[in-house]
Amino acid sequence: MQKARSCRGEVMKRAELESFIMETYNAETDYPWLKYPNYEVFRHCNNRKWFALIMDVPKNKLGLQGEEMLKVVDFKCDPILIGTLREEPGFFPAYHMSKDSWITVALDGSVSDDKTKMLLDMSYEATIPKTCKKRY
């Protein structure tokens, strides 16, 4: 299977992001809510901590107009960076997670896949077990 990447500057779609996560990180998927079968959690295999949560959320739950569903992903993020990101299009206070340490990112083309991958990597590193972190 090839690594997911966008062509001509396009932003990753949900399926591409899911594939990229599974090919890049030591992760497992989980669907913890029967009521929301499309909510997909990505966990570390060794400590089961979440580092990404992909969901379909009504736009009005994110402070946008309308009730159409928007594909989003939640990442654990540095609280200082969250404030800056939330001023940019496509970033929202974390849906379903702590707004102090998580951020919601729209998967609608408003955020580049480079920035999405950077935040994914930061989230993975922030939730990795302390015994596995590199020592410098």
Side-chain angles (χ1 to χ4, degrees):
M1 186 183 260
Q2 254 185 344
K3 281 203 172 190
R5 56 183 148 240
S6 57
C7 306
R8 292 172 267 130
E10 294 174 13
V11 175
M12 269 192 278
K13 304 288 187 240
R14 179 182 177 144
E16 292 170 326
L17 179 58
E18 292 167 342
S19 294
F20 180 79
I21 291 170
M22 295 308 293
E23 292 171 10
T24 307
Y25 301 97
N26 184 21
E28 55 189 38
T29 59
D30 188 11
Y31 299 86
W33 301 283
L34 292 175
K35 185 176 177 182
Y36 301 105
N38 210 27
Y39 283 24
E40 183 175 20
V41 172
F42 292 87
R43 301 175 182 269
H44 290 270
C45 289
N46 50 8
N47 70 357
R48 309 245 327 125
K49 284 189 175 184
W50 301 12
F51 62 92
L53 168 60
I54 299 177
M55 305 170 280
D56 296 324
V57 177
K59 286 184 174 183
N60 61 0
K61 299 277 186 181
L62 300 170
L64 299 172
Q65 294 292 317
E67 295 182 20
E68 304 87 35
M69 299 302 265
L70 179 64
K71 291 182 186 336
V72 299
V73 59
D74 278 2
F75 295 125
K76 185 152 188 156
C77 188
D78 183 305
I80 295 169
L81 185 57
I82 288 173
T84 303
L85 290 173
R86 286 188 9 201
E87 295 177 10
E88 296 181 26
F91 292 97
F92 305 93
Y95 181 77
H96 184 73
M97 304 294 276
S98 166
K99 290 166 182 34
D100 294 332
S101 56
W102 289 77
I103 191 158
T104 294
V105 180
L107 295 174
D108 65 351
S110 58
V111 178
S112 72
D113 62 329
D114 285 343
K115 191 169 275 190
T116 300
K117 287 177 183 179
M118 176 199 72
L119 290 167
L120 172 62
D121 197 53
M122 288 174 61
S123 184
Y124 184 84
E125 290 296 321
T127 55
I128 202 163
K130 290 180 185 1
T131 57
C132 293
K133 287 187 179 179
K134 293 179 186 174
R135 296 181 191 255
Y136 297 98

